[in-house]
């Protein structure tokens, strides 16, 4: 029989993505065995994150400062804004280090069935930000799904009244992708978006 | 319990971290929900997009269980219109309407056939006409069909330009003159199967007409509103009418 505190920890850990009750138990056992080397640093890190992380009031990124490091970075091109669904997408683009502009995190996509409306997303703040920063280009880096593209078209439609140039990420053959293994949808989009070589 | 059929994806909801609950519309089985294990994965997310035509296999131990789907792509119909705002809105709207008004596990072969024709023709020119006619057919299939055969007041079969909001029956120009403020406009292209709408304003009028009866019979009666995707679609067409007109 397990102690109530351990049981609570297992329950809390099993709520995390990628962990179920079984793997949570393994994690707890591992942490208990390495109390000084792993459990204490983990507690400190969690406390640090809990106390210091906040959502950037400008772009919706998470950072220890508000505005976040990306928004206040003087090396960034303030005239470019890349719109992403989630902070995870922002991190993915940052890993590539190809985009040197600013970001705007929407917080999801429009969805009729899940009841996500434009007012539930950070769309009004995007539009006012584009006006305030006099942005020259907005890059819509949204998923190639029906909901993602519906959101992209919605934003493009609302930005049509401003002089900003609206672009979207290309959809097509991934690097290392073999045509034989690609799904029909990706292939047809790639064929339609072909370009001169 | 098991069935195999071709089916159109009408809605997908995330279930847990890796799975989704998909609602598929098949010709023989109607709208069926089921769990797709791993449906949120990279390889399956593209398949489970609203509007795609799949080969679906539904299995459950008992008929009343939710059941699980295994799916294979037949045609990626959604990908064909992802770059086209209005067409994509029409696809989202049609799928959301299906997901919200069709009863589960009740075959509606006419609605399925019409939706398939609409989705296959979305890249072509006549899609707005097909959309409105599909919704008129949907109302008929749900038991709230419009009677466009003759004037409700005089029995005349020509010059039908209104619809009575009470009965859903056509009204001729002459008989409706005195009540025209209370009648709904009937776009002419709905009177003959072979007719196509020539103006966006006719499409908007058709969508207002079907929207009125969908709201009354399928949504407001159940304390709901029509899906946002349909409202946005009608609004976008309406904006085009104001720009061109």
């Amino acid at each position: 029989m397990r102690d109530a505190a351990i049981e609570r920890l297992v329950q809390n850990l099993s709520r995390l993505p990628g962990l179920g009750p079984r793997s949570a138990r393994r994690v707890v056992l591992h942490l208990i065995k390495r109390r000084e080397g792993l459990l204490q640093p983990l507690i400190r890190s969690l406390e640090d994150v809990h106390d210091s992380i906040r959502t950037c009031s400008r772009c919706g990124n998470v950072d220890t400062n508000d505005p976040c490091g990306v928004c206040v970075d003087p090396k960034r091109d303030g005239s470019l804004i890349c719109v992403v669904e989630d902070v995870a997408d922002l991190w993915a683009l940052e890993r590539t280090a190809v985009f040197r502009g600013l970001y705007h995190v929407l917080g999801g996509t429009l969805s009729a069935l899940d009841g996500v409306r434009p007012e539930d997303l950070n769309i009004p703040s995007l539009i006012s930000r584009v006006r305030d920063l006099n942005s020259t280009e907005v890059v819509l880096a949204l998923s190639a799904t029906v909901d993602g593209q519906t959101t992209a078209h919605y934003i493009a439609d609302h930005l049509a009244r401003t002089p900003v140039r609206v672009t979207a990420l290309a959809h097509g053959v991934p690097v290392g992708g073999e045509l034989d293994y690609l799904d029909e949808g990706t292939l047809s989009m790639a064929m339609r978006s072909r370009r001169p070589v | 319990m098991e069935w195999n059929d071709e089916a159109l994806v009408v809605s997908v909801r995330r279930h847990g971290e890796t799975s989704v609950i998909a609602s598929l519309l098949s010709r023989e089985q109607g709208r069926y929900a089921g769990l797709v294990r791993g449906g949120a994965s990279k390889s399956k997310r593209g398949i489970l997009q609203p509007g795609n035509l799949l080969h679906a296999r539904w299995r459950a131990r008992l008929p009343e269980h939710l059941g699980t789907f295994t799916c294979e792509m037949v045609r990626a119909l959604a990908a064909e219109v992802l770059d086209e705002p209005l067409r994509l809105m029409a696809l989202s709207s049609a799928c959301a309407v299906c997901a919200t008004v069709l009863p589960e596990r009740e075959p509606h072969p006419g609605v399925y056939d019409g939706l398939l024709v609409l989705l296959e023709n979305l890249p072509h020119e006549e899609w707005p006409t097909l959309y409105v006619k599909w919704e008129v057919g949907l109302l008929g299939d749900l038991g709230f069909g419009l009677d466009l055969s003759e004037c409700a007041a005089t029995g005349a079969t020509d010059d039908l330009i209104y619809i009575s909001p009470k009965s859903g029956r056509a009204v001729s120009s002459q008989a409706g003159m005195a009540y025209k403020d209370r009648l709904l406009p009937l776009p002419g292209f709905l009177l003959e199967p072979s007719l196509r709408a020539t103006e966006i304003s006719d499409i908007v009028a058709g969508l207002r007409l079907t929207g009125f009866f969908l709201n009354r019979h399928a949504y407001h009666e159940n304390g709901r509103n029509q899906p946002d995707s349909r409202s946005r679609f009608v609004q976008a067409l309406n904006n085009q009418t104001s720009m061109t007109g």
Side-chain angles (χ1 to χ4, degrees), chain B residues 53-67:
Chain B
L53 180 66
L54 313 178
H55 184 272
R57 180 190 204 189
W58 181 86
R59 275 197 295 186
R61 193 167 62 80
L62 296 170
E64 57 266 32
H65 285 174
L66 172 68

Side-chain angles (χ1 to χ4, degrees), chain B residues 20-34:
Chain B
V20 297
I21 293 177
S23 186
L24 309 185
L25 179 67
S26 97
R27 192 173 199 285
E28 305 300 328
Q29 311 296 331
R31 187 169 72 86
Y32 242 80

Side-chain angles (χ1 to χ4, degrees), chain B residues 45-188:
Chain B
R45 233 176 336 187
I47 297 172
L48 292 165
Q49 288 299 307
N52 279 351
L53 180 66
L54 313 178
H55 184 272
R57 180 190 204 189
W58 181 86
R59 275 197 295 186
R61 193 167 62 80
L62 296 170
E64 57 266 32
H65 285 174
L66 172 68
T68 55
F69 276 123
T70 43
C71 306
E72 246 178 70
M73 179 86 91
V74 175
R75 203 166 155 199
L77 293 166
E80 293 178 20
V81 293
L82 276 188
D83 294 335
E84 304 279 344
L86 268 180
R87 290 174 162 95
L88 185 62
M89 281 184 189
L91 178 144
S92 297
S93 170
C95 291
V97 167
C98 266
T100 48
V101 304
L102 283 180
E104 269 197 274
R105 302 186 178 194
E106 192 181 288
H108 287 273
V111 176
Y112 172 82
D113 290 341
L115 183 61
L116 184 57
V117 169
L118 168 66
L119 296 177
E120 283 179 335
N121 283 284
L122 273 180
H124 306 297
E125 289 304 309
E126 67 273 24
W127 70 267
T129 304
L130 291 173
Y131 186 96
V132 181
K133 291 193 173 185
W134 173 74
E135 281 200 346
V136 171
L138 172 71
L139 278 169
D141 234 76
L142 292 171
F144 310 113
L146 308 177
D147 181 359
L148 310 179
S149 58
E150 59 176 27
C151 173
T154 63
T157 54
D158 54 358
D159 206 17
L160 303 173
I161 61 164
Y162 300 113
I163 284 272
S164 160
K166 279 191 181 167
S167 63
R169 295 182 67 192
V171 178
S172 69
S173 156
Q174 202 182 356
M177 185 62 80
Y179 315 98
K180 65 178 182 185
D181 295 340
R182 280 182 274 164
L183 297 172
L184 300 165
L186 168 62

